[in-house]
Amino acid sequence: MKKIIFLALTGFSFGTVYAQNTISVTSDPKPNTISVTTIPQPPKSITNVLKIAVDKSRHLAISTSDASVDVEGYDGDELIIEAVTNKFPRVAPPEATGLNFIKLNNRPAEDNTIGYRLETDNAMLVQIGLVTKCKYLHIKVPNHIFLFSINASNMRQDSYITVKNIKGAFQVEGLMKTTYISNVAGPFKIAGRGGTTILTDILWNQDSVWPYADKTHSPASPYMVTSTGDIDISIPEDLKTSILFMPGNGQVYSDLNLIQGPKPTLTLNGGGVKILTDCRNGNIYLRSQKK
């Protein structure tokens, strides 16, 4: 079955769309709708790259399905989506020692092709539907975008998502085995479901604020991490921070010199940057950031 990946780009400005393979663009009877279909070509490399110009003053929201995803910020003006095949080589279980692998015809081989459909409903909402057999996507997002968010609600059981090097506000939500966040400044909101959320090398900023002018749409804290699984956060020993906890069933472990507050709060060096954690069933690990 083909894997479907939908990108919802709120207030997203589209310019030129590129693909390494030949593409066809046709008008759809529905107003403001463009259908874009990849024309199969002989493979030229192991990747197929799509490039879409964006307006960095708008909110860019992406929804993905099934494939593992690496998201990386960069100093450019285009959203770049790269499908990479054979990222995860097949590993036979120990029980298969001495046996030959048999490829079943009802399980299509992974390839690097990406088909997509662009639909515009109004000036504030643009949606793209991607169809791919690739199990891994590398997405590059322009830095200093107003707000970037990615939703990965229908991931494979063994899939993961990483976000790194983003210099502005972003949000991540999804159902995946592991979520990795590193080398970001925020503010950010991480909502992981079903797996472990790991944060390292975060540039915690006391002055970090959400970009919304309307405070009713801004999260309660510049740094929010929620998960149904474990939360693992590395924090510099000299950081002034206040870590707030929502009710949960897990335990809290740390090697930091944290002080218990009157509420479900731990402070480090007298308190400061607010970090809100909500761990429903897993444990929370607060580690000293290795230098």
Side-chain angles (χ1 to χ4, degrees), residues 15-60:
T16 306
V17 179
Y18 308 91
Q20 286 186 341
N21 290 343
T22 304
I23 62 172
S24 64
V25 181
T26 59
S27 298
D28 191 270
K30 183 179 178 180
N32 298 324
T33 299
I34 301 176
S35 297
V36 186
T37 305
T38 303
I39 300 175
Q41 300 290 319
K44 298 180 180 180
S45 68
I46 63 169
T47 63
N48 187 19
V49 182
L50 306 179
K51 297 182 179 180
I52 304 172
V54 302
D55 180 352
K56 290 187 287 187
S57 66
R58 306 288 180 86
H59 176 189
L60 165 60

Side-chain angles (χ1 to χ4, degrees), residues 39-180:
I39 300 175
Q41 300 290 319
K44 298 180 180 180
S45 68
I46 63 169
T47 63
N48 187 19
V49 182
L50 306 179
K51 297 182 179 180
I52 304 172
V54 302
D55 180 352
K56 290 187 287 187
S57 66
R58 306 288 180 86
H59 176 189
L60 165 60
I62 300 178
S63 295
T64 70
S65 173
D66 220 8
S68 290
V69 180
D70 281 339
V71 178
E72 181 179 5
Y74 82 110
D75 293 328
D77 299 315
E78 297 175 314
L79 173 69
I80 302 175
I81 306 170
E82 178 183 14
V84 181
T85 58
N86 302 318
K87 171 77 173 181
F88 310 106
R90 178 180 55 82
V91 178
E95 294 80 3
T97 301
L99 304 179
N100 296 321
F101 172 71
I102 298 177
K103 176 68 174 64
L104 299 179
N105 293 331
N106 67 340
R107 299 179 183 179
E110 181 185 11
D111 63 34
N112 68 330
T113 60
I114 303 177
Y116 56 98
R117 180 181 177 87
L118 171 63
E119 296 183 350
T120 304
D121 296 327
N122 54 58
M124 296 300 296
L125 177 62
V126 178
Q127 292 182 326
I128 294 180
L130 293 179
V131 180
T132 180
K133 297 178 183 178
C134 194
K135 298 178 181 178
Y136 169 81
L137 295 176
H138 182 207
I139 300 176
K140 297 182 70 173
V141 179
N143 271 321
H144 305 296
I145 200 165
F146 174 76
L147 175 63
F148 169 73
S149 59
I150 180 167
N151 185 298
S153 297
N154 298 302
M155 307 285 274
R156 297 192 321 273
Q157 185 176 3
D158 61 343
S159 61
Y160 72 86
I161 183 170
T162 71
V163 178
K164 65 180 181 179
N165 302 336
I166 291 183
K167 297 180 180 179
F170 69 91
Q171 302 175 132
V172 177
E173 180 178 1
L175 177 62
M176 68 286 292
K177 183 177 181 180
T178 313
T179 302
Y180 301 94

Side-chain angles (χ1 to χ4, degrees), residues 207-282:
D207 300 322
S208 183
V209 294
W210 287 96
Y212 301 106
D214 183 359
K215 293 184 177 180
T216 60
H217 292 91
S218 298
S221 173
Y223 299 104
M224 301 181 64
V225 186
T226 66
S227 177
T228 56
D230 292 344
I231 295 176
D232 194 316
I233 308 177
S234 294
I235 301 173
E237 293 182 352
D238 59 353
L239 180 68
K240 295 182 178 181
T241 181
S242 301
I243 306 170
L244 293 77
F245 300 87
M246 301 295 289
N249 297 321
Q251 307 299 322
V252 179
Y253 300 91
S254 180
D255 59 353
L256 293 164
N257 187 24
L258 297 166
I259 304 299
Q260 181 75 52
K263 296 181 179 180
T265 303
L266 294 175
T267 62
L268 181 64
N269 300 314
V273 178
K274 291 185 178 180
I275 305 173
L276 177 62
T277 63
D278 184 355
C279 190
R280 300 302 172 88
N281 298 310

